[in-house]
Amino acid sequence: MIAIQMEDVDIGKLITAAKQRGTGAIVVFDGIVRDDDIREMELEAYEEVAEPELEKIASEAKKTFNLLSVDIIHRIGRLAVGENILVIVVGAGHREQAYEGSRFIIEAIKAGVPIWKKELRKDGDRWVPGEHQHGCGAGK
């Protein structure tokens, strides 16, 4: 499953689905809203571009690391401290492939998918500078 959505993610369901024939390792990355003196976080995406980019990253990871399954769910909207932002579930025959594939996916998302984070703080709001140069969140 590749999705950009407002709803939370059922991580257990994704793990169960990844347990298919040949799977010897599953790696789960759960990025959450961290308590960095913020009230909440607001996430925006250029969905028409972001979702196909996530599909492309998943496909490349599957080929490069011989992955059996890849799920990427990125949330948008307003999220409270402790809520899931990004969930990546990778299934592979061996742990090395699963770890490397998961790391590749998160780094590729950070580098080039047009999704922006705004921290809503007690002392004012701020866009989080991204690692890519897309849109309003870049470099601010």
Side-chain angles (χ1 to χ4, degrees), residues 41-89:
M41 184 173 281
E42 188 171 311
L43 291 107
E44 296 180 6
Y46 182 14
E47 293 181 59
E48 295 83 1
V49 175
E51 201 160 309
E53 282 297 314
L54 294 176
E55 293 277 0
K56 190 168 94 174
I57 291 166
S59 178
E60 185 174 347
K62 278 183 171 180
K63 289 178 194 162
T64 303
F65 301 99
N66 199 26
L67 303 178
L68 301 172
S69 65
V70 171
D71 295 298
I72 305 170
I73 296 92
H74 206 302
R75 294 184 64 205
I76 56 173
R78 281 200 178 195
L79 304 176
V81 170
E83 286 194 73
N84 300 316
I85 301 171
L86 170 63
V87 175
I88 301 168
V89 177

Side-chain angles (χ1 to χ4, degrees), residues 110-126:
K110 292 289 224 174
V113 178
I115 298 174
W116 305 282
K117 297 187 282 189
K118 184 178 191 179
E119 293 179 343
L120 307 176
R121 300 173 161 268
K122 297 170 187 123
D123 60 348
D125 304 340
R126 79 173 189 103

Side-chain angles (χ1 to χ4, degrees), residues 1 10-18 71:
M1 168 188 275
D10 184 344
I11 297 171
K13 186 176 178 180
L14 295 174
I15 292 169
T16 297
D71 295 298

Side-chain angles (χ1 to χ4, degrees), residues 115-117 126-140:
I115 298 174
W116 305 282
K117 297 187 282 189
R126 79 173 189 103
W127 287 101
V128 177
E131 296 175 24
H132 53 76
Q133 297 302 310
H134 296 295
C136 63
K140 291 190 180 180

